[in-house]
Amino acid sequence: MKRVLIVTGWCLALSTVWVSTPGVAADRFAQRFALEFESGAAYYSVTLPAAVYAASQRADLGDVRVFNGAGEPVPYSLDTPREASRAPATLRPARWFPLPSAAPGSTGAPLGVTIAADGSLRATSAPPDRAQHDTDLIDVARETRGEARVDALVVHVRDDNYQGRVSVESSDDLRNWQPAGEAQLLKVSYNGSTLSQDRIELNGRRARYLRLHWLDGAPYVESIDAQVQAAGADNAQRADTQREWRAGIVARPGPKDGEYYFDTGGSYPVDRLRLNLPQPNTVAPAAVYSRTGLEAAWREVSSATLFRLHNGTVEQSNPSLEMAPDTDRQWRVVVDTRNGGLGSGTLTVAAGWRPATLTFVARGAAPFTLAVGSASAVSSAVSRADLLMGASSVAVTARLGEAQADEQGADAQSRAKDPDAMRRYMLWTALLLAVGSLGAIAWRLARGAQPQAGAQAGGVAGGAADSGGGAGGAGGAAGDVTGGSGAASVTVTAKDSGTAGADGQSTGKN
């Protein structure tokens, strides 16, 4: 009895302690990756690829850890890219000169312009006919004053509808030209509004002259503005970490017309979305929403007019949608269906983000591994300044190797999906043990009660037998007395045996 009670008490106590202990598997991770680098440095840094975000169970990458060969965690910092601070850009009108097709091998100033002593350009003849016009020469030195960079050109097209490609070249002397990029310009009137792509990105190029080659026919240009970034502004954005993309995400149709749902498959800090429309010559306004989970409310993160227009060999689509970094996994696109929506076909999505950089101290022996994927883990990252502590050494670039098998990965993934499942199982186990123990106690009590009841029943039966025996003896004595006297037989009962015996004795004497 006492042993059963002791076992039950220990079961309940252990289950209570286990359930009240948070994060029992903080050192178990769903995925591990090898860190590859050349030894000899104190600090190493690695840009986190998409696989790390996909395995992470936290939106802030708080479950990332770095372990050395002995399985010891080492200090690390986690730095997310920041938007570069930059001075406000200004638009300045640029001087441009329509030119006819240049003769092959020609050098010096193009036909129709001359170079002044200060390097500025002046027109020397009337612009060519539109049929012969395929090039525009832009004098940007005057607008930039030699101390600024041109981020973009904004081309204002007078045509109501235009769609075409343009290539850009730059030069400082009108003789040597270098490629400066390509772009597609668009101007389309739609449903009382105008869709336009009028920017040619140049990414802060510094040059005196720019040349535009119109590959699909020159538009009627009304004006050209140069977007100038002041000298000395922070250009960190241009040297920023390259954006990662996860393409091929299929959006499934929702219960309502014009609704599409998709899951990014990880806690990516998405700040760009490319929505690839299924059919060409499609134009439709749309809004994009995201949420953290099934119980959360949808919130709008971006909106734009989506389009995919095909014109001969030229096809243009709306630029990527921009938004603040968003780690939500569930997304919804709502398209205006008043003009047919997106039509038939599958909407596919590409999600882009700027990955974080992890810097760690190479403490201990190799091999070093990066672990990720634990819903119960809490971030232990320190700031980069605290990690480096003013050290003169520079962090050497490391590489993330192949994923490694983790013997506890499956358990970690199941706990990540339902972190309270194991606790529920333990509670049910403790409850069953307690019920079983109580049943055993009841059975022991019932079993012990049976011998006591039997003993009491036997005592009662024995007493009754003794009483019967005494009565029989008294009856026999009475019979002997009756026989001796030769009288008639007398029937004697047990309760009257004493009386009958006395009477018999009296009769005999007479």
Side-chain angles (χ1 to χ4, degrees), residues 33 49 69 221 226 296 344-345 406 411 437 443 450 462-463 466 492:
F33 300 89
V221 179
S344 61
D406 193 309
D411 294 339
S437 300
W443 181 78
Q450 290 178 359
D466 293 342
V492 182

Side-chain angles (χ1 to χ4, degrees), residues 7 19 54 76 81 115 133 136 166 233 256 289 352 367-368 432 495:
V7 171
V19 171
Y76 71 96
I115 305 176
H133 171 211
D136 282 303
V166 59
K256 299 180 180 179
Y289 303 82
F368 287 82
L432 292 176
K495 64 179 180 179

Side-chain angles (χ1 to χ4, degrees), residues 1 4-5 435-449:
M1 177 68 178
V4 174
L5 292 175
V435 172
S437 300
L438 293 175
I441 293 172
W443 181 78
R444 291 285 300 273
L445 292 174
R447 185 178 180 184

Side-chain angles (χ1 to χ4, degrees), residues 334-476:
V334 180
V335 179
D336 189 346
T337 59
R338 288 176 295 179
N339 291 317
L342 303 184
S344 61
T346 302
L347 173 67
T348 59
V349 183
W353 70 93
R354 294 185 298 160
T357 301
L358 183 142
T359 305
F360 64 95
V361 182
R363 184 188 65 193
F368 287 82
T369 57
L370 184 147
V372 62
S374 175
S376 58
V378 180
S379 178
S380 61
V382 299
S383 66
R384 185 179 177 87
D386 292 339
L387 182 71
L388 299 179
M389 295 296 292
S392 58
S393 58
V394 179
V396 178
T397 301
R399 300 174 301 278
L400 203 67
E402 297 293 332
Q404 298 178 344
D406 193 309
E407 64 277 4
Q408 299 165 342
D411 294 339
Q413 289 181 349
S414 62
R415 283 191 303 274
K417 294 179 181 179
D418 189 359
D420 294 330
M422 186 61 71
R423 299 188 181 187
R424 289 199 300 269
Y425 298 152
M426 290 298 296
L427 282 174
W428 277 108
T429 302
L431 180 60
L432 292 176
L433 287 174
V435 172
S437 300
L438 293 175
I441 293 172
W443 181 78
R444 291 285 300 273
L445 292 174
R447 185 178 180 184
Q450 290 178 359
Q452 297 177 2
Q456 293 175 358
V460 172
D466 293 342
S467 300

